Every structure is written in structure tokens, then in C-alpha cells.
């Protein structure tokens, strides 16, 4: 899986899921990087316990003119420790030196001592939480003022884009340079946006999709229909481009969050949310905010309401972060903020780490516990002083699922609870094995949870295993081993429990992309999407090839079909395809132009580090960070829209 180890989290206090933390939490010990193991066997279903990646190797630099231009992922910010760190908690221990950070397309290893204050540029977010994608999903992106995942490595001129990995010696050099620079980078999650309460386009991670019901059973484990239909001509053109916002004082601002309604494409800017015409890109409305958006729910109600977390004021040099204490409900059609709420523990405002939406309930989680509001603004529950555990976060969509943490770090037990979104009453509960510190909600219906068991993934993806759980009884259906060197999905899970991307769930199956590998062409890379049965845990034998030079990533479900994006080689445009749930036959829904100027914009927004939305012949890509560049580069864009005629 393609993400390096995230920075160790702030240590959650031992408080209740609906209650505040107790006094002093123990220190977190960062996971150790496991040793490399044998190469992947993509044709064989992985066995439990297998999951150690190989040491990354350095890509070979081809000679011009054969070298395709690399696609550079956007550069995330470099937040220091700041708000959101538990008050009175001891500083976590510094992480171990990286054993071999990956190369291009992979974020670099976190340098320096975790939890130690760093010198931040003006407006730079403080250390408190990783900020997605991508889950990531639907506006679920890294929050301003939160610590981020490790920084993606920028490819050097002359290197082929994607697939290459550094060897150990180069990794040490890169880590040393980064440590000297005192940079704490942030990996970016990308998201898809849809609507909830059983809608077929709901997502399960930043890019993943839940549900997948509807249509006629084809007898092969899928359905024969979806809403997305192939146009007579899938050739697309650029509909509009939104220029990147101006950022002052060398700061970096998170601009995560994007949604798609019947009327508008909606995108977060710097302390604002803007609705754009879906075809023309003209501004329909603008909603100013008092501070930057921290987190945004990827879920949307039937009447186009969604929820965000944001800061109460703009950052300054003296105060680079004001905390993510503001919970707001947004009307995406009218461009209005319907209400803003806060929650206190004692006299202190709680800074929340994640936000989601299930039915008519807005739920927020943090190390101080969880809280929820009805869309009317009524408080449904909040942290209670008597609780001995706490809700670190929630997964939303068709159901509401809590990740409830109990015990100290060395004796942690996670309770995965399906709860009534109106009352908070526990419907069912699955207790994970003690010692698993973090878990991510991939999908709430069917219920799928991801975790890095025993820190065995070894690549920072946050995933070594998936757990398929019966949400009615709380019983484990099956456990799926997903070795990091074989599969490219990832979940953050430390503070944002829905922050999963590059996967989808539907047809009672889990769809995962394989890691990139050599294609048949010179210097080309490619991969596939495979399916796992959520009842048996076995691969179904279905396989969707990206095609030589392309790499394929799940975006979401469409009924029983899977919508996926194909990142192109250096001389072609990207594609959106529909993959039939049963036959796995691919149908091209959209083909982007192959002209160099368009390719440059498209490849600047990779699925790993940007937000992607697709619906009805329209593909929207957008960045989640805005920053002032130290060097003059090509014109940059906040968002770009493509569409078929």
C-alpha cells in the first residue's frame, strides 16, 4: 500500500466515548518498521500474517526522449505541534529512524522527534491531527491546523512517473535532508462526494463506495445496472479551471472539501466555501467563514446538507491555529450556513478531529470523546465525565458506527459499535483484539473495518487486514489479509476514522487496487483492481486491468457497478470507466484530452493526493492545499472540471 507510516498521534486521554478524558494518559510508542519480506504474489489470495513489504528500490532514470514527464503530486504543508494536543498529556516518544522510505508517489518518512514543537511559517497549522481525501471521501480531507501524513516525494526530472521506489541508502539520505530541514509533511487524501441514506453513489472512504445495491442480479455476484451510462462519445473537454487562491506570508492553508449536487460543484477555498456552475465554472454563491476549514464530511443528505469543522478565526504569526472547535451545517444548494455549534468539557472548548453525517445526525469525534447534533441543531449527546472509554470518531453514511477506545496504550481495546444515530444507543458491538491501537471505518453498510494489526503493514498505509463484521449481531464474518506490498489502498485511522481511499465496497465485496508493477512497455507501470468476498474473505477471481501505462483506482460504487479512474501514461489523457459488478467488463465513461497542456493540469492532481468526483459525464479534480510557492512554476489551479458533450 502506497502510504508511509503516519506520524504518531496525540495520545488520547482515557476518557469516555461520550465523556471527557481522565487526567494523565500514558505515552504512545510509535510502531517499529517491520523487515522486508518476499515479493508479492498477486495471483494468490494472501494468507493471514503475511504483510511485510520489500525494501523500496530506486527507479532507473531513462534517457531522453524516452522518459515520460513525471506527474508531481501536490506538496502538503509542514505543520508543527499546536492545538488539539491533549492538555496535560505527556509528549509522545520520538519515532524510530526510517528504514527505507519509498520513492515517487509515496510520502516520505516523518522526520524529527514527533510531538516536539517546530518553527511554523505564518498561518501554519499546529500539531494536533492529520488532516483526505481521502475519505476523502467526500470532502473528508486533512484539516487546517492538524498534523499531516508524511510528505509525498517529488519526482526528479527524467524519472518516469509512478511506481519507482528508493533503495535504503537513498532513503537514509532523503530522511537526513528532510530532518535537517525540520519539515513535517502531510500526505493528502482524496475524496468523492455523493448523497447518503441508501443512495447508490455513497462512498466508503475517501474514494471508496458503500452500498452497491440496485439493478438486476446477473448471477455472478454483481448487478447489471447502474445510473452512470456511457455517452455516445466519451471524449471530454476542459469545462473550467479555478485558479489557486493567493496565499500570503509563505503559509500553507488546507482547502479540503468538495461536493457535487444537481445544481453545483462546491469546493472549499481559504476560509470560504464556493458553489460553481457544474458546466461553466461560474460562481453561483460564496459562503465566507471566520477561519479555515479543518475537516469536511464526505456525506450529503437527500436535501443537499453537509457538515464541516472549521476554526473560529484566521491564523496569525502570533497564533498559527485557533483550534477546530466550530461545527457547522451547510446548505449546498443555497450556499448558507444553517447553524454553528460548539461543545465544551468543563470550561474548555473541544477541538474535534473528525466529522461525519448519517441520516439526520452530524457526529464529531476527538480524544475528548464524541458528540452529535440533529440537523435541526439539537444536541443529541456529548462527552460524559463518568465514561471510562471514549469515541475517537465515527463512520457515517447509511449507518453510524463508532470507534470507541478503552484502556491504556499498551492494553488498548477498540470497540466497533453500530449505534442509533438519533439516541447514540449501541445496537451491536465487535471488540477487536487488544493491542490494536487504531481502526478505520471503510464502510458502514456492509460494515468493513481496516486496521494495521501488530504494525505488520510496514508501509504506513494503516492496513494489514480488513474485518468484515455483521452490524446487526456484532459478530466477525471474516478477516481479509491485505499485505502492504500487494495492495495499494490505505487508511489514516489515527484521528480521522473515515479517512480511507483507493478502495470501494459494494455487492458484499471489497474492491482493492494492486500495487503498481512493470508493464509491457518500456518504463511503463500498471496495476489491477481485484475483489474480495466479504462473507468468505477469499478473492473472487475478478480482475480489472488498468492497461499498459495506466494505473487504476476505485472511486465509488454505482449500483452494482464500480466507477474507477485510470491515471494516464505521459502521452495520453486519463479515463473514467464503469466496471460491471459481475463480469468486470469495463466501459469507458469519459476520456480526457491528450494534449500536453491538459495533461499537465490533470496529472498535477493524482488520485492519492487530490479530491476526485465523477457523475453524469463530469469529472472534477481539486487540490486540498493552497500555498505560496518559493519558486516560479506553471500556473496552478484549485480545481478543474472535465465533461463529455
Amino acid at each position: 500500500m502506497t502510504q508511509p507510516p503516519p506520524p504518531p498521534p496525540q495520545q488520547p486521554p482515557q476518557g469516555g466515548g461520550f465523556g471527557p478524558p481522565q487526567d494523565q494518559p500514558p505515552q504512545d510508542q510509535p510502531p517499529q518498521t517491520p523487515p522486508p519480506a518476499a515479493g508479492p504474489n498477486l495471483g494468490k489470495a494472501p494468507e493471514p500474517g503475511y504483510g511485510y513489504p520489500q525494501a523500496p528500490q530506486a527507479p532507473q532514470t531513462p534517457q531522453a526522449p524516452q522518459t515520460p514527464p513525471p506527474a508531481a503530486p501536490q506538496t502538503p504543508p509542514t505543520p508543527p505541534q499546536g492545538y488539539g494536543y491533549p492538555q496535560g498529556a505527556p509528549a509522545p516518544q520520538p519515532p524510530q529512524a526510517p528504514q527505507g522510505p519509498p520513492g515517487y508517489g509515496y510520502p516520505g518518512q516523518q522526520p524529527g522527534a514527533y510531538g516536539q514543537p517546530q518553527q511554523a511559517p505564518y498561518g501554519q497549522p499546529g500539531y494536533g491531527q492529520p488532516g483526505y481525501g481521502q475519505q476523502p471521501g467526500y470532502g473528508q480531507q486533512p484539516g487546517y491546523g492538524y498534523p499531516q501524513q508524511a510528505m509525498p516525494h517529488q519526482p526528479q526530472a527524467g524519472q518516469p512517473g509512478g511506481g519507482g521506489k528508493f533503495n535504503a541508502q537513498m532513503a537514509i539520505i532523503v530522511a537526513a535532508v528532510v530532518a535537517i530541514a525540520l519539515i513535517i509533511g502531510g500526505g493528502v487524501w482524496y475524496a468523492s462526494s455523493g448523497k447518503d441514506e441508501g443512495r447508490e453513489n455513497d462512498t466508503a472512504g475517501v474514494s471508496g463506495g458503500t452500498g452497491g445495491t440496485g439493478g438486476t442480479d446477473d448471477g455472478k455476484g454483481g448487478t447489471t445496472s447502474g445510473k452512470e451510462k456511457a455517452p455516445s462519445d466519451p471524449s471530454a473537454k476542459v469545462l473550467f479551471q479555478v485558479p489557486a487562491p493567493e496565499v500570503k506570508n509563505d503559509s500553507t492553508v488546507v482547502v479540503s472539501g468538495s461536493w457535487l449536487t444537481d445544481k453545483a460543484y462546491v469546493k472549499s477555498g481559504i476560509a470560504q466555501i464556493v458553489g460553481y456552475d457544474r458546466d461553466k465554472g461560474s460562481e453561483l454563491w460564496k459562503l465566507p467563514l471566520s477561519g479555515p476549514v479543518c475537516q469536511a464530511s464526505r456525506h450529503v443528505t437527500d436535501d443537499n446538507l453537509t457538515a464541516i469543522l472549521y476554526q473560529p478565526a484566521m491564523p496569525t504569526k502570533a497564533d498559527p491555529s485557533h483550534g477546530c472547535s466550530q461545527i457547522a451545517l451547510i446548505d449546498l444548494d443555497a450556499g448558507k450556513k444553517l447553524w454553528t455549534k460548539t461543545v465544551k468539557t468543563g470550561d474548555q472548548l473541544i477541538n474535534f478531529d473528525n466529522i461525519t453525517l448519517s441520516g439526520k445526525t452530524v457526529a464529531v469525534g476527538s480524544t475528548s470523546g464524541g458528540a452529535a447534533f440533529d440537523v435541526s441543531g439539537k444536541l443529541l449527546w456529548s462527552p460524559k465525565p463518568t465514561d471510562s472509554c471514549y469515541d475517537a470518531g465515527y463512520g457515517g453514511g447509511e449507518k453510524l458506527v463508532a470507534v470507541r477506545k478503552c484502556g491504556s496504550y499498551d492494553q488498548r481495546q477498540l470497540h466497533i459499535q453500530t449505534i442509533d444515530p438519533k439516541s447514540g444507543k449501541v445496537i451491536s458491538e465487535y471488540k477487536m483484539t487488544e493491542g490494536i491501537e487504531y481502526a478505520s471505518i471503510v464502510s458502514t453498510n456492509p460494515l468493513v473495518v481496516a486496521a494495521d494489526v501488530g504494525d505488520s503493514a510496514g508501509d504506513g498505509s494503516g492496513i494489514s487486514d480488513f474485518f468484515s463484521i455483521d452490524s446487526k449481531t456484532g459478530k466477525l464474518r471474516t478477516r481479509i489479509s491485505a499485505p502492504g506490498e500487494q495492495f495499494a489502498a490505505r487508511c489514516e485511522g489515527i484521528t480521522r476514522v473515515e479517512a480511507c481511499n483507493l478502495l470501494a465496497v459494494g455487492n458484499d465485496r471489497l474492491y482493492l487496487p494492486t500495487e503498481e508493477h512493470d508493464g509491457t512497455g518500456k518504463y511503463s507501470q500498471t496495476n489491477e483492481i481485484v475483489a474480495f468476498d466479504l462473507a468468505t474473505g477469499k478473492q473472487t477471481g475478478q480482475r480489472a486491468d488498468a492497461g499498459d501505462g495506466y494505473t487504476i483506482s476505485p472511486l465509488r460504487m454505482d449500483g452494482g457497478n464500480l466507477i474507477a479512474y485510470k491515471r494516464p501514461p505521459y502521452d495520453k489523457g486519463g479515463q473514467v470507466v464503469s466496471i460491471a459488478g459481475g463480469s468486470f467488463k469495463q466501459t469507458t465513461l469519459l476520456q480526457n484530452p491528450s494534449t500536453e497542456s491538459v495533461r499537465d493540469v490533470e496529472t498535477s492532481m493524482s488520485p492519492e493526493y487530490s479530491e476526485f468526483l465523477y457523475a453524469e459525464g463530469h469529472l472534477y479534480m481539486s487540490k486540498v492545499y493552497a500555498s505560496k510557492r518559493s519558486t516560479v512554476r506553471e500556473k496552478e489551479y484549485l480545481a478543474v472540471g472535465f465533461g463529455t458533450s
Side-chain angles (χ1 to χ4, degrees):
M1 299 181 189
T2 58
Q3 186 176 346
Q10 51 186 351
Q11 170 60 28
Q14 301 175 37
F18 300 97
Q22 296 177 356
D23 295 335
Q24 293 292 334
Q27 294 180 338
D28 274 354
Q29 297 296 329
Q32 303 296 319
T33 303
N41 178 4
L42 300 180
K44 180 178 182 298
E47 299 296 331
Y50 177 67
Y52 291 88
Q54 294 180 338
Q57 299 298 318
Q60 299 298 319
T61 304
Q63 300 297 320
Q66 295 172 321
T67 304
Q74 54 186 116
T75 304
T78 60
Q81 176 178 334
Y83 79 88
Y85 194 86
Q87 298 299 317
Q93 298 301 311
Q96 301 298 319
Q99 301 301 312
Y104 167 64
Y106 287 54
Q109 178 77 346
Q110 175 83 4
Y114 152 76
Q116 299 303 315
Q118 306 293 334
Q119 183 63 39
Y122 168 77
Q124 186 68 14
Y127 191 89
Q129 170 201 356
Y132 237 138
Q134 191 141 28
Q135 146 157 2
Y138 283 49
Q140 176 88 358
Q141 300 298 332
Y144 185 94
Y146 283 169
Q148 312 298 328
Q149 294 296 105
M151 178 179 294
H153 172 68
Q154 295 285 353
Q156 301 299 317
Q159 291 180 348
K165 299 182 179 180
F166 282 146
N167 59 24
Q169 181 178 5
M170 181 59 71
I172 294 173
I173 295 174
V174 171
V177 172
V178 174
I180 292 173
L182 293 177
I183 297 177
I184 299 178
V188 183
W189 304 92
Y190 79 105
S192 302
S193 182
K195 298 179 182 180
D196 299 331
E197 302 186 53
R199 298 192 184 192
E200 295 174 350
N201 291 352
D202 186 22
T203 60
V206 186
S207 60
T210 60
T213 58
T216 303
D217 190 341
D218 64 359
K220 300 179 182 179
T223 57
T224 57
S225 65
K227 292 182 178 180
E228 302 294 350
K229 305 300 181 183
S232 57
D233 181 5
S235 299
K237 63 180 180 179
V238 177
L239 299 176
F240 61 86
Q241 296 169 324
V242 179
E246 180 181 358
V247 179
K248 301 178 180 179
N249 303 302
D250 298 321
S251 61
T252 300
V253 181
V254 168
V255 289
S256 64
S258 60
W259 306 266
L260 193 58
T261 74
D262 296 337
K263 300 178 181 179
Y265 167 67
V266 184
K267 174 62 186 166
S268 293
I270 297 180
Q272 65 179 11
I273 299 176
V274 182
Y276 301 93
D277 183 279
R278 288 176 39 146
D279 294 306
K280 301 176 183 178
S282 54
E283 189 175 298
L284 300 177
W285 52 261
K286 181 185 294 184
L287 174 61
L289 300 170
S290 58
V293 172
C294 302
Q295 300 289 325
S297 172
R298 71 178 188 272
H299 303 293
V300 179
T301 67
D302 284 332
D303 50 354
N304 290 326
L305 306 181
T306 195
I308 63 169
L309 287 170
Y310 69 98
Q311 293 191 43
M314 288 299 294
T316 63
K317 286 184 178 180
D319 194 352
S321 177
H322 298 278
C324 288
S325 58
Q326 309 297 299
I327 308 162
L329 187 71
I330 307 297
D331 185 330
L332 296 174
D333 284 335
K336 295 181 179 180
K337 182 171 60 175
L338 301 182
W339 49 254
T340 297
K341 302 292 182 180
T342 59
V343 181
K344 290 185 177 181
T345 174
D347 295 331
Q348 297 295 319
L349 286 176
I350 296 178
N351 293 321
F352 289 99
D353 300 328
N354 54 79
I355 187 167
T356 195
L357 188 64
S358 179
K360 300 296 184 180
T361 297
V362 176
V364 287
S366 73
T367 56
S368 296
F373 294 85
D374 184 83
V375 292
S376 66
K378 176 185 176 182
L379 179 66
L380 299 176
W381 66 80
S382 61
K384 293 183 176 66
T386 57
D387 281 347
S388 58
C389 304
Y390 69 95
D391 284 7
Y394 302 92
E398 294 183 31
K399 296 187 178 183
L400 186 62
V401 177
V403 175
R404 188 169 176 84
K405 291 194 174 187
C406 298
S408 60
Y409 176 81
D410 56 349
Q411 293 181 320
R412 179 79 73 206
Q413 186 170 45
L414 303 183
H415 300 190
I416 308 301
Q417 299 178 334
T418 299
I419 61 179
D420 183 336
K422 294 182 179 179
S423 66
K425 179 182 177 181
V426 176
I427 298 172
S428 67
E429 179 179 75
Y430 172 72
K431 295 181 180 180
M432 303 192 75
T433 303
E434 285 190 12
I436 299 176
E437 178 69 9
Y438 309 107
S440 300
I441 305 299
V442 177
S443 167
T444 61
N445 188 30
L447 179 52
V448 181
V449 174
D452 186 357
V453 180
D455 304 322
S456 59
D459 60 352
S461 63
I463 304 171
S464 67
D465 297 82
F466 291 93
F467 298 79
S468 175
I469 301 169
D470 187 324
S471 61
K472 294 182 180 179
T473 65
K475 294 182 179 180
L476 181 68
R477 299 176 65 196
T478 191
R479 176 172 167 176
I480 300 171
S481 177
E485 77 279 12
Q486 292 190 28
F487 301 102
R490 63 187 181 186
C491 295
E492 190 258 282
I494 296 175
T495 51
R496 297 178 304 121
V497 301
E498 275 191 310
C500 295
N501 71 329
L502 305 180
L503 45 66
V505 172
N507 302 318
D508 206 33
R509 294 178 179 178
L510 169 67
Y511 299 99
L512 298 178
T514 65
E515 282 284 5
E516 294 180 22
H517 56 82
D518 291 340
T520 59
K522 198 171 185 179
Y523 312 125
S524 71
Q525 295 284 301
T526 190
N527 75 327
E528 302 80 31
I529 291 176
V530 297
F532 289 86
D533 189 306
L534 290 175
T536 66
K538 297 180 179 180
Q539 287 194 34
T540 64
Q542 296 166 309
R543 172 178 172 144
D545 294 325
D548 199 39
Y550 290 87
T551 53
I552 190 168
S553 304
L555 291 182
R556 61 172 174 83
M557 297 304 297
D558 173 34
N561 300 332
L562 175 66
I563 304 298
Y565 172 73
K566 289 186 176 182
R567 185 169 173 82
Y570 71 97
D571 57 348
K572 294 181 174 64
Q575 298 178 350
V576 175
V577 297
S578 177
I579 303 172
S583 67
F584 252 43
K585 177 183 177 181
Q586 297 184 38
T587 301
T588 301
L589 301 177
L590 178 144
Q591 170 69 62
N592 279 340
S594 60
T595 57
E596 183 177 0
S597 59
V598 176
R599 290 199 321 266
D600 288 345
V601 175
E602 179 177 6
T603 56
S604 71
M605 300 184 188
S606 69
E608 292 85 354
Y609 305 109
S610 303
E611 297 170 348
F612 277 43
L613 308 178
Y614 176 82
E616 300 174 335
H618 292 68
L619 174 64
Y620 303 92
M621 304 176 177
S622 62
K623 295 185 178 181
V624 296
Y625 291 109
S627 61
K628 183 177 181 180
R629 301 291 181 177
S630 58
T631 58
V632 177
R633 299 179 61 181
E634 297 292 330
K635 186 174 181 179
E636 296 188 4
Y637 298 94
L638 174 66
V640 58
F642 298 93
T644 58
S645 57

